[in-house]
Amino acid sequence: MPSRDATTHWEGGLQDGTGHVTLDSSNAGQFDVSFPTRAEEPNGQTSPEELIAAAHSSCLAMNLSGVLGGENLTARSIDVSADVTLSPAKGGGFEISGIAITLRAAVDGLDEAKFKELAKTAEQTCPVSKALAGTTITLDAALDS
């Protein structure tokens, strides 16, 4: 399996500096970052937490699709949002204190209880969930009609 890479160029101090994140593997874009927009309003800039949310939500959607396929099921739709929270850390600095995942899917032939079981399996086996295992991750999964 290939690896993927991104780079960041930063200039200046923490409060007055700015950076640019480049998605190198895909060449999908370059995004501005700064600490004030990370800790306050985004004002059109991304943050490490938003990029983690994007990685987590897309990985979980793909992984759920695979878990459903293992049960000979195909979702009509899967929608995943990840809300990543940055908080002050004990002892100083900051930490990602939690990730709240909301997952909704439309899957024919599946009851709510079995769906919740499969969604939990997908969350626990998602590579990004595994990478973030040191963070509290909550899952709210429900079937859409």
Side-chain angles (χ1 to χ4, degrees):
M1 301 285 298
S3 65
R4 302 288 187 248
D5 65 312
T7 55
T8 299
H9 175 78
W10 186 268
E11 294 179 359
L14 178 62
Q15 293 298 327
D16 64 351
T18 60
H20 305 282
V21 176
T22 302
L23 304 180
D24 296 317
S25 303
S26 64
N27 198 29
Q30 186 175 51
F31 305 94
D32 293 333
V33 292
S34 70
F35 186 76
T37 61
R38 180 181 186 187
E40 298 168 13
E41 289 300 313
N43 295 324
Q45 295 187 17
T46 193
S47 67
E49 292 73 31
E50 184 177 41
L51 296 170
I52 289 170
H56 206 170
S57 65
S58 60
C59 185
L60 184 52
M62 287 183 232
N63 204 48
L64 177 59
S65 182
V67 169
L68 291 170
E71 299 285 323
N72 295 315
L73 296 165
T74 301
R76 286 185 284 121
S77 66
I78 298 172
D79 295 292
V80 182
S81 66
D83 185 359
V84 177
T85 303
L86 179 70
S87 301
K90 294 177 185 173
F94 295 89
E95 67 182 0
I96 294 173
S97 57
I99 302 172
I101 296 171
T102 302
L103 187 158
R104 298 293 181 262
V107 185
D108 295 330
L110 189 59
D111 66 32
E112 189 76 25
K114 182 65 174 177
F115 174 74
K116 287 183 181 286
E117 175 189 322
L118 296 174
K120 187 66 177 170
T121 297
E123 190 277 320
Q124 291 174 337
T125 61
C126 169
V128 173
S129 291
K130 289 178 185 180
L132 300 170
T135 301
T136 300
I137 300 171
T138 61
L139 174 65
D140 173 8
L143 282 172
D144 284 337
S145 49

